């Protein structure tokens, strides 16, 4: 009820603001992370750049922590014009276009740098252009990060160590299939429920990037962090296509440029903070296990069938183009 009320209130406010000549243009941006997370801080930079670049003609308002509803509801809000912008994980767009499922397949990228190169390649741009079929404009890519396993059972050095571990995953079929292949007991769960579920022993563990393990304080209720790096996840900031087309060419260009600069700023935050976040987790008494390249390869081999099976789901053309882009980025 609160989520629907928030969206309805947002629509009413947007309508009221549109009637006020003195208020200018308002861009409401919804996302699910908290205010400490690097993605939110990158959006604050976006807000600063857009408002300064438009000489105050555009007012950017950011709503973190799912204030505008869960990710799918926010996407639908942008599609219907209730919300101007949302920043959901890329996996949610696979509900409308299966091609987006290829982005978060297990062990698709040997490193974060390779993933980023793919996102910023022509193939990445082609993927964003598919959002136009959903009434959206993709503005770029904001990092969520390499996901790692935390749990209270044992260190995860090989797939065998996941046997029987009840592990929270996102509600993403490819993620569930990945951990089924690795022998775990994947348990999809809303993000906001994870901390209490860990605390109460409802689940043994979860998997997320280091920055989220830190900002959500999962280390307080977990004994082991294993740097499995099994999936690289990314947010796609999207804006309503109809709303974007209603803006002047200068304001459209400003929004795109501001998001590109915000991506760069986010990378500076991530690269400057992750080592300290890991040390903070260690200082809390958590066992942090760093896997070797050989150990990670064992995990990758165990999920090979998951990647292969998704070629039909994604579509051969989109799947093969993405894999080719990964190979090209890996060879650079």
């Amino acid at each position: 009820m609160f989520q629907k009320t928030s969206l309805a209130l947002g629509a009413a406010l947007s309508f009221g603001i549109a009637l006020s000549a003195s208020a200018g243009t308002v861009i409401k941006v919804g996302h699910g992370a908290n205010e400490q997370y690097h993605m939110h801080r990158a959006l604050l930079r976006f807000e600063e750049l857009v408002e300064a670049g438009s000489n105050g003609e555009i007012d950017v308002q950011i709503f973190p922590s799912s204030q505008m509803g869960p990710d799918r509801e926010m996407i639908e809000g942008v599609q219907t014009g209730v919300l101007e912008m949302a920043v959901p994980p890329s996996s949610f767009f696979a509900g409308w276009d299966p091609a987006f499922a290829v982005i978060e397949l297990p062990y698709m990228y040997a490193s974060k740098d390779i993933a980023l190169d793919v996102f910023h390649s022509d193939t990445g741009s082609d993927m964003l252009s598919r959002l136009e079929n959903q009434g959206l404009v993709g503005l770029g890519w904001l990092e969520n990060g390499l996901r790692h396993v935390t749990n209270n059972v044992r260190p995860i050095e090989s797939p065998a160590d996941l046997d029987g571990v009840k592990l929270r995953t996102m509600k993403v079929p490819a993620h569930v299939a990945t951990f089924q292949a690795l022998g775990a007991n994947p348990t999809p769960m809303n993000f906001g429920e994870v901390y209490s579920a860990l605390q109460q022993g409802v689940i043994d563990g979860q998997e997320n990037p280091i920055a989220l393990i830190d900002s959500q304080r999962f280390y307080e209720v977990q004994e082991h962090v294993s740097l499995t790096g099994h999936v690289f996840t990314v947010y796609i900031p999207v804006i309503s296509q109809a709303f974007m087309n209603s803006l002047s060419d200068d304001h459209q260009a400003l929004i795109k440029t501001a998001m590109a600069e915000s991506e760069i700023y986010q990378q500076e935050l991530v690269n400057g903070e992750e080592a300290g976040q890991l040390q903070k987790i260690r200082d809390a008494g958590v066992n942090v296990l760093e896997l070797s390249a050989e150990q990670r390869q064992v995990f990758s081999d165990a999920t090979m069938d998951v990647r292969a099976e998704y070629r039909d789901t994604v579509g051969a053309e989109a799947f093969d183009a993405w894999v080719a882009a990964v190979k090209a980025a890996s060879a650079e």
Side-chain angles (χ1 to χ4, degrees), residues 6-132:
S6 295
L7 285 171
L9 177 60
L13 288 172
S14 179
F15 181 70
I17 289 168
L19 295 178
S20 173
S22 62
T25 299
V26 174
I27 301 178
K28 300 184 301 297
V29 185
H31 70 82
N34 66 29
E35 294 177 60
Q36 288 72 48
Y37 197 47
H38 50 65
M39 184 265 281
H40 176 77
R41 288 180 283 153
L43 290 174
L44 292 178
R45 175 60 63 90
F46 172 78
E47 176 184 3
E48 175 187 332
L49 292 169
V50 170
E51 292 183 350
S54 67
N55 295 315
E57 292 178 12
I58 298 177
D59 176 20
V60 178
Q61 302 174 1
I62 302 172
F63 298 86
S65 303
S66 300
Q67 293 179 49
M68 288 295 188
D71 288 298
R72 183 178 179 88
E73 189 171 313
M74 283 192 282
I75 295 170
E76 292 171 346
V78 176
Q79 290 172 325
T80 58
V82 172
L83 188 63
E84 285 76 36
M85 278 184 64
V87 191
S90 65
S91 54
F92 280 86
F93 296 103
W96 287 271
D97 183 347
F100 284 85
V102 74
I103 298 170
E104 293 187 12
L105 290 179
Y107 294 99
M108 177 61 74
Y109 321 98
S111 70
K112 182 179 99 167
D113 288 342
I114 289 172
L116 294 177
D117 284 348
V118 173
F119 299 148
H120 294 101
S121 68
D122 289 342
T123 304
S125 297
D126 290 343
M127 186 67 76
L128 290 181
S129 70
R130 299 176 74 104
L131 291 166
E132 295 175 8

Side-chain angles (χ1 to χ4, degrees), residues 1-290:
M1 178 64 72
F2 171 76
Q3 292 162 352
K4 291 182 179 178
T5 302
S6 295
L7 285 171
L9 177 60
L13 288 172
S14 179
F15 181 70
I17 289 168
L19 295 178
S20 173
S22 62
T25 299
V26 174
I27 301 178
K28 300 184 301 297
V29 185
H31 70 82
N34 66 29
E35 294 177 60
Q36 288 72 48
Y37 197 47
H38 50 65
M39 184 265 281
H40 176 77
R41 288 180 283 153
L43 290 174
L44 292 178
R45 175 60 63 90
F46 172 78
E47 176 184 3
E48 175 187 332
L49 292 169
V50 170
E51 292 183 350
S54 67
N55 295 315
E57 292 178 12
I58 298 177
D59 176 20
V60 178
Q61 302 174 1
I62 302 172
F63 298 86
S65 303
S66 300
Q67 293 179 49
M68 288 295 188
D71 288 298
R72 183 178 179 88
E73 189 171 313
M74 283 192 282
I75 295 170
E76 292 171 346
V78 176
Q79 290 172 325
T80 58
V82 172
L83 188 63
E84 285 76 36
M85 278 184 64
V87 191
S90 65
S91 54
F92 280 86
F93 296 103
W96 287 271
D97 183 347
F100 284 85
V102 74
I103 298 170
E104 293 187 12
L105 290 179
Y107 294 99
M108 177 61 74
Y109 321 98
S111 70
K112 182 179 99 167
D113 288 342
I114 289 172
L116 294 177
D117 284 348
V118 173
F119 299 148
H120 294 101
S121 68
D122 289 342
T123 304
S125 297
D126 290 343
M127 186 67 76
L128 290 181
S129 70
R130 299 176 74 104
L131 291 166
E132 295 175 8
N133 297 324
Q134 302 176 31
L136 305 169
V137 176
L139 297 176
W141 311 86
L142 290 173
E143 178 173 339
N144 190 4
L146 277 171
R147 303 178 76 85
H148 306 291
V149 172
T150 77
N151 81 104
N152 286 325
V153 180
R154 64 181 74 92
I156 307 301
E157 300 182 65
S158 70
D161 293 324
L162 280 167
D163 186 35
V165 174
K166 192 170 184 180
L167 195 75
R168 181 270 175 180
T169 69
M170 294 174 65
K171 296 179 179 180
V172 177
H175 292 198
V176 174
T178 294
F179 283 102
Q180 287 174 334
L182 293 172
N185 179 10
T187 306
M189 182 183 295
N190 289 332
F191 185 63
E193 302 171 6
V194 177
Y195 186 97
S196 61
L198 292 169
Q199 190 175 42
Q200 296 166 16
V202 175
I203 52 176
D204 299 315
Q206 61 86 51
E207 45 86 46
N208 260 301
I210 292 299
L212 276 178
I213 295 169
D214 172 51
S215 66
Q216 298 298 132
R217 306 178 73 87
F218 292 145
Y219 59 85
E220 294 179 340
V221 287
Q222 295 281 259
E223 297 177 12
H224 307 284
V225 173
S226 302
L227 303 183
T228 50
H230 48 276
V231 171
F232 188 85
T233 47
V234 64
Y235 298 100
I236 301 181
V238 292
I239 191 167
S240 161
Q241 190 175 47
F243 174 78
M244 189 71 156
N245 290 340
S246 75
L247 301 177
S248 68
D249 289 346
D250 286 347
H251 282 175
Q252 290 187 40
L254 171 63
I255 287 169
K256 292 176 181 178
T257 300
M259 187 57 73
E261 292 186 25
S262 299
E263 286 186 44
I264 295 170
Y265 176 64
Q266 186 196 30
Q267 286 304 307
E268 293 173 357
L269 291 175
V270 173
N271 295 334
E273 295 174 354
E274 189 164 283
Q277 290 163 346
L278 265 177
Q279 189 57 51
K280 179 180 175 182
I281 292 168
R282 289 189 177 98
D283 291 344
V286 178
N287 172 36
V288 177
L289 175 67
E290 298 193 35

